[in-house]
């Protein structure tokens, strides 16, 4: 089961997605800073993509 299936089966979770996406993105930035040694300021403060963009099959960030 993938995430889109889970959300389809549990539509009440959909309103939680934007907050979870932002929290997850901030955690990923912290990991990327630690892994790359790049300054935190090099990364966006918030996720630049919407959940729908990320879930699209053709999604591939530049």
């Amino acid at each position: 089961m993938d995430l889109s299936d889970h959300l389809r089966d549990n539509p009440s979770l959909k309103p939680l997605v934007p907050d979870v996406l932002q929290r997850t993105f901030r955690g990923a930035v912290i990991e990327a800073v630690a892994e790359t040694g790049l300054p935190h300021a090099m990364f966006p403060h918030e996720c630049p993509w919407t959940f729908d963009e990320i879930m699209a099959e053709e999604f591939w960030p530049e």
Side-chain angles (χ1 to χ4, degrees):
M1 176 180 276
D2 67 10
L3 181 57
S4 51
D5 291 334
H6 191 64
L7 288 172
R8 192 172 25 262
D9 292 344
N10 301 281
S12 62
L13 295 176
K14 184 87 175 181
L16 303 176
V17 168
D19 183 53
V20 171
L21 177 61
Q22 291 305 322
R23 285 188 287 133
T24 303
F25 183 79
R26 286 191 294 270
V29 167
I30 290 169
E31 288 183 30
V33 167
E35 192 172 305
T36 64
L38 293 170
H40 196 272
M42 294 281 301
F43 299 91
H45 179 68
E46 294 186 354
C47 183
W49 305 286
T50 66
F51 176 74
D52 290 332
E53 289 172 329
I54 292 170
M55 294 302 292
E57 284 186 35
E58 67 275 356
F59 176 74
W60 190 260
E62 294 179 26

